Amino acid sequence: MKIAVCIKQVPTREWQPRIRDDKRWIRDEDVSYEMNEPDAYALEEALRLRETHGGEVVVCAAGPARVQQVLREALARGADRALHVEDDGPQAADARVTAGALAAAMRDEQFDLILTGLQSDDQGHAQTGVIVAERLGIPHSTIIMEVQVENPSTGSGQAARLRVKRELEGGWFQWLTMPLPALLTIQSGINQLRYATLKGIMAAKKKEIRKVPLPAGLAPSQEIVALALPSRTKQTQIIGGSPQEAARELVRRLREEARAL
Ligand SMILES: Cc1cc2nc3c(=O)[nH]c(=O)nc-3n(C[C@H](O)[C@H](O)[C@H](O)COP(=O)(O)OP(=O)(O)OC[C@H]3O[C@@H](n4cnc5c(N)ncnc54)[C@H](O)[C@@H]3O)c2cc1C
């Protein structure tokens, strides 16, 4: 199975955002970066599928030269090779531009399966994967919690297909079957992450990162007009009823409203 994983480099969670004077972007001089969290789970899922069904895992990223840091990290964890759509220009590239660039870079590779994270930890539009699927003319499914391959190439004569578990609202799930090739957007927590070994880090130095130019004619459809830092607010809610009722209601609110559980 030939699998691509789209990986975005995002500012670390510990970084305190500072906004440029023109309010249109962050002050990125002192930012430290890391792999987008759901993308790390997407990579892990791809590595597990390769271990079970064979094939190769190719990681893809769009952005300036610094994004090679997350590609190297993915190669150290076990990916086979990487594609890098390199361009210093469009800091404010939206999901449409990014998806167009990634789809163009991946088109000729004919991947069986493309995995992205559910959304990025910084801009968080949760659109890039869906648009990549549209651009490549393949089916997609979002917020995936489990991936099974049915009829893998074991000589059964039937085409391999996916059985996937989607997360819905309010603690509900949905199982779907879908043909391959396909694209899935992966939810954090779907598996247990592995970390790079010293051997993996050494091996990654020799693995290929192929640079792909940004295709001409990709124009954003969104413009960042102004960024603002969230203000801290506090809200008190009194939950009435018996201790049992209050505890039940507290758990419900934490789960469904605060999404803390
Ligand atoms: C050539 C180029 C240069 C860019 N340079 C910068 C920059 O310097 N600074 C900056 O902040 N932004 C840059 N961007 C834009 C940014 O990387 C995002 O792609 C864009 O904002 C997508 O929207 P999102 O973050 O809401 O992603 P979402 O739609 O929330 O992301 C969903 C998933 O899509 C995948 N994905 C998203 N973006 C990328 C990516 N860039 N590479 C690989 N996979 C991705 C990930 O798997 C992610 O989990 C650049 C984009 C391009 C094409």
Side-chain angles (χ1 to χ4, degrees):
M1 190 177 251
K2 189 171 170 182
I3 308 171
V5 186
C6 297
I7 295 185
K8 184 176 183 186
Q9 186 193 45
V10 293
T12 55
R13 284 161 185 230
E14 293 74 38
W15 181 67
Q16 293 295 320
R18 291 189 300 148
I19 294 175
R20 271 187 349 206
D21 292 341
D22 68 4
K23 302 218 181 306
R24 290 180 154 242
W25 201 247
I26 53 169
R27 290 174 58 179
D28 54 7
E29 306 87 50
D30 59 353
V31 184
S32 55
Y33 292 95
E34 64 186 1
M35 189 182 295
N36 186 46
E37 189 191 62
D39 305 359
Y41 287 97
L43 171 64
E44 178 62 38
E45 197 61 23
L47 296 173
R48 288 173 186 226
L49 288 168
R50 184 192 63 188
E51 281 158 11
T52 310
H53 303 290
E56 87 173 320
V57 173
V58 181
V59 283
C60 312
R66 62 172 161 72
V67 310
Q68 288 202 10
Q69 175 203 332
V70 287
L71 290 175
R72 283 277 168 226
E73 192 184 327
L75 294 171
R77 290 192 198 186
D80 297 288
R81 60 189 170 89
L83 298 175
H84 177 199
V85 184
E86 185 173 357
D87 198 287
D88 281 337
Q91 284 207 323
D94 62 3
R96 183 167 177 246
V97 169
T98 304
L102 292 170
M106 291 189 283
R107 188 178 302 278
D108 290 344
E109 294 264 2
Q110 303 275 312
F111 290 106
D112 300 306
L113 180 62
I114 299 175
L115 303 182
T116 72
L118 163 64
Q119 66 182 70
S120 67
D121 289 336
D122 53 359
Q123 297 187 58
H125 289 106
Q127 288 295 302
T128 307
V130 176
I131 305 172
V132 167
E134 183 66 25
R135 289 287 172 106
L136 295 177
I138 59 176
H140 73 270
S141 190
T142 54
I143 327 183
I144 298 302
M145 298 291 298
E146 195 173 331
V147 183
Q148 298 172 0
V149 182
E150 293 187 334
N151 312 321
S153 48
T154 52
S156 70
Q158 289 181 299
R161 59 182 188 170
L162 296 176
R163 187 158 186 269
V164 296
K165 181 181 177 186
R166 295 188 66 219
E167 185 183 349
L168 305 179
E169 302 251 325
W172 288 82
F173 298 98
Q174 178 185 36
W175 281 95
L176 293 174
T177 53
M178 42 195 311
L180 290 168
L183 182 146
L184 306 175
T185 79
I186 301 291
Q187 172 68 298
S188 290
I190 180 175
N191 48 42
Q192 184 106 37
L193 297 180
R194 75 188 69 190
Y195 291 94
T197 58
L198 187 57
K199 194 172 158 217
I201 294 167
M202 299 308 286
K205 293 185 179 168
K206 296 193 189 127
K207 292 181 181 174
E208 179 197 20
I209 299 182
R210 181 160 65 84
K211 288 191 189 171
V212 185
L214 184 69
L218 288 175
S221 50
Q222 293 176 335
E223 182 191 0
I224 295 178
V225 180
L227 296 175
L229 294 176
S231 54
R232 288 175 193 269
T233 54
K234 203 164 73 165
Q235 201 187 18
T236 305
Q237 296 182 13
I238 309 288
I239 302 173
S242 68
Q244 288 87 345
E245 287 164 352
R248 241 193 320 273
E249 177 61 11
L250 176 62
V251 169
R252 188 194 68 76
R253 289 191 200 183
L254 286 172
R255 179 171 294 140
E256 294 177 18
E257 293 173 17
R259 293 180 178 275
L261 297 179

